Amino acid sequence: MSTSTPPRPRSATTSAPARSRSALPLAGVRAVAFALMAAVAGTALLDAPAPTAAPPPTTAAPAPGAPAPTASGSTVSAASTPVHFTGKAFDTCEAPSVETMRAWRGSPYGAVGIYFGGRGRGCPGQRELNPGWVSSVQAMGWRLLPVFVGSQAPCVEAPAKKPFAIGSDPWGQGTREAGDAVRAARALGLGTSSPLYLDIEAYRRGDAQCAATTLSFVRAWNREVRRLGYLPGFYSSADTGVRDIEAQRRAGTADLPAVMWFARWLGKPALATEPTLAPAAWTPHARIHQYAGNVTESYGGHRLVIDRNAVDAPVARLTTARAGSSSAEPASATSAFAAPPSAAPTPSVHSAVSRAPARP
């Protein structure tokens, strides 16, 4: 994703509910049968490096784009289901001023990527980004794509990202950073069922150990984000991270992202025709295509260096704190821009194809 610094490509886990061991003999036979089926199915999955603390048992992975489960494993209520946006978005390394965001309402963009957390951000300061900024730009009509740039693949290509390589405990590290992401999202007023997009920059292709370590980190991050009531999204280069995650989807691996944000810079959107993704994968309303990067645009006298994106995916839901309470409820303005379930992407978003990525 775009940056004015070197380029970039935006609690414990819960285990599956325990089954009763005091059931009738028939239940015992069924339990054995299920165990045998699981053992056979497990051979289809790629082996990840064994984390220091083994991952907890996996439950069935939600279909890409499905509502995020709550901590109890159930689906979030209708009142907090994801809000979708279809149209164009931009992202830039540091959140622009409210004045700039107001001027850019005259642009073709309706959503903006914000780098809200993570130790690997190209612009960690984010002087403008706070709850007031979030509520102000949302009130203008902008929709938000929250991006978390945490630890990166051990074989990440961008030199500026190498100091943030995933360590020897990828599962534990992914879980901890997911907690960091949710806390940062809550601090900005981003409510449950909001997507949080994990940014994994392009890394060396063909390095199986590096890819496996990265996968373990990503799966743990996804699982914990889901457990805490948010929707895990994933950003990466179409030819590295996205390709590897698609291979895992085909293999039936659990704990994969619910939303796919792929970078391929060919200049034009190709949201539905990315060659590394199966046509039905991450549909409906679960794809973002970053189709151009590090381009300069100006609206209302305010110039920014941005990446361009075509979006048919979830955006953030804001919360408003109740007086005297720590609970939150959806801000009424957020659902107004939700696309109807059957709405097709706008023609302007789905024209042709796009080039190659870089990011904060």
Side-chain angles (χ1 to χ4, degrees), residues 166-187:
I166 298 165
S168 60
D169 178 18
W171 191 275
Q173 194 170 354
T175 300
R176 289 188 297 274
E177 292 193 24
D180 294 340
V182 168
R183 283 187 290 275
R186 287 173 177 164

Side-chain angles (χ1 to χ4, degrees), residues 31-279:
V32 172
F34 279 121
L36 290 173
M37 291 170 65
V40 172
T43 61
L45 306 183
L46 281 177
D47 291 327
T52 303
T58 58
T59 54
T70 62
S72 63
S74 61
T75 302
V76 294
S77 68
S80 60
T81 52
V83 174
H84 297 98
F85 169 82
T86 302
K88 291 187 177 182
F90 76 90
D91 63 86
T92 188
C93 190
E94 186 167 357
S97 68
V98 169
E99 183 183 5
T100 297
M101 295 302 294
R102 185 174 292 109
W104 272 55
R105 286 306 290 153
S107 75
Y109 304 104
V112 57
I114 54 170
Y115 294 92
F116 74 100
R119 70 191 189 111
R121 285 183 295 178
C123 297
Q126 298 295 334
R127 295 165 294 180
E128 301 288 341
L129 190 57
N130 55 50
W133 185 94
V134 167
S135 60
S136 293
V137 301
Q138 181 88 1
M140 293 177 198
W142 288 102
R143 294 300 170 253
L144 306 179
L145 298 164
V147 184
F148 184 86
V149 191
S151 295
Q152 299 294 306
C155 57
V156 64
E157 291 179 341
K161 301 300 181 187
K162 292 186 183 298
F164 310 113
I166 298 165
S168 60
D169 178 18
W171 191 275
Q173 194 170 354
T175 300
R176 289 188 297 274
E177 292 193 24
D180 294 340
V182 168
R183 283 187 290 275
R186 287 173 177 164
L188 285 175
L190 308 182
T192 55
S193 86
S194 292
L196 305 181
Y197 292 95
L198 177 63
D199 181 331
I200 295 292
E201 296 298 309
Y203 52 84
R204 186 169 60 247
R205 289 184 62 178
D207 189 327
Q209 181 64 28
C210 177
T213 296
T214 306
L215 173 64
S216 184
F217 173 88
V218 171
R219 290 182 60 214
W221 194 91
N222 293 340
R223 172 180 286 215
E224 183 69 354
V225 164
R226 277 195 178 98
R227 189 187 75 81
L228 295 171
Y230 288 75
L231 200 63
F234 180 75
Y235 167 90
S236 193
S237 163
D239 287 327
T240 53
V242 172
R243 183 184 297 273
D244 288 345
I245 292 293
E246 166 65 358
Q248 296 302 310
R249 186 197 63 80
R250 292 173 184 269
T253 304
D255 301 314
L256 296 184
V259 192
M260 181 62 76
W261 187 341
F262 58 95
R264 188 180 291 282
W265 294 0
L266 298 177
K268 297 180 180 179
L271 201 57
T273 56
E274 165 53 40
T276 62
L277 297 175

